[in-house]
Amino acid sequence: MNANFKFIPFPVLTTQRLNLRELDFTDDQDIFAHRTDDRVNTYLDGFRHDHISQSRDFITRVLKEIDEGITILWVISRKESRKFMGTICLWNISKTNLKAELGYTLVPEYHNLGYMSEALERVLEFGFKVMKLKTIEAFTHQDNAGSIRILTKNKFMPDFSLDFTNKKNRVGFTLTNELVF
């Protein structure tokens, strides 16, 4: 099995209703609005941006990490529009252990419409089939019922053996390629 962590050209993913596209600097205002939204920050620590410069620095960092093969992040948008709906990523990619951590956020107006599940299914397929990952981990706040529901719906299993350092009030989940394919 040959793992692929080079994302050139950037892999645009599609689903029935969505495009998962590359983050770019034209997303800075949307990233800033998203990261200042109190509803989005309900269960997140260290997510909030106080200045647009933080959003631009975030974009710079993510693009560098994509180039280094340690993160892959997509902007979620509807097929008929580039409008920012949220993000989904695989990060903390370990080439040695063939594992990554899943992260995702969604603009609240798109909650409970199946968009994140749709995006997640496509990203899992990419992670396991293209990247050849063996394991994908996810951490979510213990009170974030929506996030826990999405993870368990997609066959993630609670995993208390994960490293919870700096992850207070979090629960961890693991999905292995054997459970998916």
Side-chain angles (χ1 to χ4, degrees):
M1 223 187 265
N2 191 15
N4 181 8
F5 300 108
K6 291 293 177 191
F7 308 115
I8 302 169
F10 186 87
V12 174
L13 306 179
T14 60
T15 70
Q16 182 177 350
R17 300 181 293 170
L18 303 173
N19 279 328
L20 307 181
R21 62 172 177 83
E22 186 171 15
L23 175 70
D24 63 47
F25 286 99
T26 64
D27 293 308
D28 63 344
Q29 294 292 332
D30 290 324
I31 293 290
F32 183 67
H34 190 58
R35 287 182 167 251
T36 58
D37 188 313
D38 288 337
R39 298 163 301 169
V40 173
N41 282 283
T42 301
Y43 299 112
L44 299 171
D45 296 322
F47 188 79
R48 183 178 300 281
H49 287 177
D50 297 316
H51 304 284
I52 189 71
S53 62
Q54 290 175 287
S55 300
R56 292 179 184 134
D57 290 346
F58 168 79
I59 293 169
T60 299
R61 180 178 54 84
V62 167
L63 294 176
K64 180 178 182 282
E65 290 178 3
I66 290 170
D67 188 53
E68 294 170 354
I70 58 174
T71 293
I72 179 82
L73 178 140
W74 293 269
V75 171
I76 302 168
S77 61
R78 299 260 332 214
K79 278 189 172 177
E80 66 274 3
S81 166
R82 280 186 50 92
K83 184 178 179 188
F84 180 95
M85 296 172 66
T87 62
I88 188 165
C89 67
L90 295 170
W91 64 296
N92 284 337
I93 296 171
S94 170
K95 297 171 187 174
T96 305
N97 298 320
L98 296 177
K99 74 177 183 177
E101 186 174 335
L102 175 70
Y104 49 85
T105 63
L106 198 62
V107 172
E109 69 186 80
Y110 300 112
H111 285 190
N112 300 311
L113 298 173
Y115 290 119
M116 188 54 72
S117 289
E118 193 172 319
L120 178 55
E121 287 173 19
R122 186 66 180 94
V123 168
L124 293 176
E125 178 183 19
F126 181 84
F128 288 125
K129 288 186 175 180
V130 176
M131 294 175 64
K132 307 294 186 199
L133 295 173
K134 291 184 178 179
T135 305
I136 298 177
E137 299 172 347
F139 294 90
T140 192
H141 192 280
Q142 64 192 8
D143 297 330
N144 190 339
S147 184
I148 292 169
R149 187 172 46 253
I150 287 170
L151 292 171
T152 55
K153 174 184 174 187
N154 284 278
K155 302 181 184 175
F156 278 81
M157 302 298 291
D159 188 341
F160 301 101
S161 71
L162 296 174
D163 180 7
F164 286 88
T165 307
N166 300 320
K167 291 178 172 60
K168 64 180 182 176
N169 301 320
R170 299 284 183 248
V171 289
F173 293 83
T174 300
L175 181 65
T176 60
N177 59 359
E178 297 95 30
L179 289 174
V180 179
F181 302 105

